[in-house]
Amino acid sequence: MTAIAEPQASLANWRQHPHSIWGFTHVDSLLPVSEIAAGAPVPLSCGAALDLGALGVEWNGKRLSAEEVLAATHTDGFLVMKDGAVVAERYLNQQPADRHIVFSVSKSITATLAGVLVEHGLLDPAAPVIRYVPEAEGSAYGDATLRHVLDMTVSIRFTEDYLDPEGDVARYRVAMGWNPPREGHEADGLHRFITSLPKAEYPHGHRFHYVSTSTDMLGWIMERASGEPMATLLSRHLWQPLGAAYDALITLDRHGAPRTAGGICTSLADLARFGEMMRGRGVFAGRRIIPERWIDDILTAGDPVAWSRGEMAKLFPQGRYRAKWYIPEPSSNVLCAIGIHGQWIYVDFAAGMVAVKQSSQPVPSDDAMDRQTLALLSAIAGDLRA
């Protein structure tokens, strides 16, 4: 196991390499959080071991082993399941009990939970945002629907540039409490920041535009619709039914608003339980957790035209996006959740495969490492199909 960096992370540097290696598994030492309580754990079974040292991955004209790709992509933890059984599990820069932040994989978890509230009649995807959050009137969300929020097709002026020290994301991070306050930057919380964002010049629904604030809006809507805090909803409807082994965490702003767009922290195996539930179309360990029709809608109903007009079409040219999940292929055989710094859930239905990856990649959004990770995951799926 690689030596874990000394705990020198602070609010000013916790997402910067190498401080991130420690920071990503100790978020509760750096930020206010709420606990997502687990219940009685459901053990994971083990299958025939997958030899990651021998499994080859073609990348940039070279043949690397899967183990080499894991190292090259700054993997902290990696787990693969085949037909519900663990076939590979690696802990490089973390321990099994560590709750690693999963960044935008949090979006997929949150929107999956939204399916439960829809089934209970508490949410209507066709309803306007202002039905649930009247404070959104006058902002980009003022005439958007919940479906626009779910599918990232809100017309909004916001540039998701993680490296611009003076841009929208920098101001957003101060508002959510992830960065220290800075002179001239608003630090008055997520909700005030979200409702300050203006509409863009095109209509809602026209194009996929990746904006994290939309998932924080989704969390706000879900809390309003249910009358319960997000951590309670996640615990009751996901973590406890999944038989999670460890309590998870979600970060909060200074007013207690949850960072549903990127603040969930979970153990590797519990993330795999969630991924296996998605492979089971809402069922895990024989228990229905998410309505099947919500999973089927994710797999089949994304808008390929809106996706093709968006800024991420190069990653999945034939892809779609639905309820915070990526569907890379028209066949709907593969389902992905992706977070910055190398966080992944990858489900290949034909291979009976679920893979989860937690990482501390130095650059938040690294196209080359994303493609190398996809090559790794595709190679594993191919091996498991054989």
Side-chain angles (χ1 to χ4, degrees):
M1 180 179 291
T2 304
I4 297 175
E6 289 298 314
Q8 298 172 335
S10 68
L11 191 61
N13 67 16
W14 69 279
R15 296 184 314 279
Q16 298 170 13
H17 201 78
H19 307 293
S20 57
I21 299 173
W22 183 89
F24 287 177
T25 54
H26 293 80
V27 170
D28 53 335
S29 297
L30 300 161
L31 300 168
V33 299
S34 187
E35 201 166 77
I36 301 164
V42 173
L44 297 178
S45 61
C46 293
L50 181 67
D51 188 347
L52 297 179
L55 195 152
V57 179
E58 300 296 329
W59 176 248
N60 276 352
K62 297 179 181 178
R63 185 175 177 82
L64 304 173
S65 74
E67 298 277 17
E68 289 174 316
V69 175
L70 291 178
T73 56
H74 298 267
T75 305
D76 298 326
F78 185 67
L79 191 152
V80 181
M81 300 180 75
K82 163 70 173 175
D83 296 332
V86 178
V87 296
E89 192 169 8
R90 298 287 184 275
Y91 294 96
L92 289 87
N93 287 318
Q94 67 186 77
Q95 300 292 335
D98 284 343
R99 294 165 303 183
H100 194 296
I101 191 166
V102 294
F103 291 107
S104 288
V105 172
S106 305
K107 295 177 172 66
S108 307
I109 295 171
T110 298
T112 301
L113 172 60
V116 175
L117 301 190
V118 171
E119 189 74 5
H120 290 176
L122 297 174
L123 286 180
D124 176 2
V129 168
I130 57 172
R131 174 188 295 182
Y132 307 101
V133 181
E135 296 92 328
E137 185 73 55
S139 74
Y141 299 100
D143 59 349
T145 67
L146 177 56
R147 174 51 65 193
H148 295 136
V149 169
L150 284 162
D151 293 352
M152 293 278 196
T153 56
V154 174
S155 171
I156 188 169
R157 291 185 199 166
F158 186 94
T159 302
E160 191 105 354
D161 184 343
Y162 304 107
L163 300 179
D164 183 351
E166 302 297 330
D168 292 332
V169 173
R171 296 185 297 110
Y172 179 34
R173 284 173 173 160
V174 171
M176 71 180 75
W178 280 26
N179 278 7
R182 295 170 56 192
E183 186 177 350
H185 286 244
E186 180 60 67
D188 212 15
L190 272 172
H191 292 170
R192 182 169 175 180
F193 181 82
I194 292 169
T195 54
S196 74
L197 297 171
K199 191 175 179 181
E201 65 281 358
Y202 54 88
H204 297 303
H206 177 72
R207 65 184 290 257
F208 170 84
H209 180 36
Y210 191 91
V211 175
S212 286
T213 61
S214 291
T215 312
D216 290 321
M217 174 58 80
L218 175 61
W220 192 1
I221 290 169
M222 290 168 67
E223 289 193 329
R224 283 284 178 84
S226 67
E228 295 185 283
M230 201 68 203
T232 301
L233 292 171
L234 287 163
S235 172
R236 180 186 305 132
H237 297 297
L238 281 180
W239 245 239
Q240 293 190 41
L242 281 170
Y246 302 99
D247 298 338
L249 306 169
I250 187 166
T251 70
L252 307 172
D253 76 356
R254 62 194 294 261
H255 301 292
R259 181 87 215 288
T260 46
I264 294 176
C265 309
T266 173
S267 75
L268 183 70
D270 287 339
L271 191 63
R273 285 177 171 86
F274 178 79
E276 178 61 20
M277 183 270 296
M278 294 300 294
R279 189 185 75 85
R281 287 179 161 81
V283 173
F284 179 76
R287 180 175 183 177
R288 167 68 59 190
I289 298 173
I290 303 297
E292 184 173 19
R293 58 184 172 182
W294 188 253
I295 307 297
D296 288 345
D297 181 82
I298 290 170
L299 290 170
T300 61
D303 183 353
V305 175
W307 173 262
S308 70
R309 292 170 175 155
E311 63 268 23
M312 294 177 67
K314 289 182 179 179
L315 181 62
F316 300 128
Q318 302 298 314
R320 304 187 305 281
Y321 189 85
R322 186 72 164 179
K324 315 295 182 185
W325 286 89
Y326 299 90
I327 302 91
E329 306 166 354
S331 68
S332 297
N333 182 57
V334 174
L335 185 65
C336 295
I338 309 172
I340 58 172
H341 296 285
Q343 324 311 317
W344 287 80
I345 300 173
Y346 184 91
V347 180
D348 187 308
F349 292 96
M353 168 189 167
V354 171
V356 292
K357 187 176 188 288
Q358 296 176 324
S359 314
S360 51
Q361 292 175 189
V363 178
S365 184
D366 190 317
D367 288 347
M369 284 197 183
D370 284 345
R371 294 185 186 283
Q372 191 172 12
T373 296
L374 283 167
L376 164 71
L377 297 169
S378 179
I380 292 173
D383 186 85
L384 292 178
R385 284 193 210 102

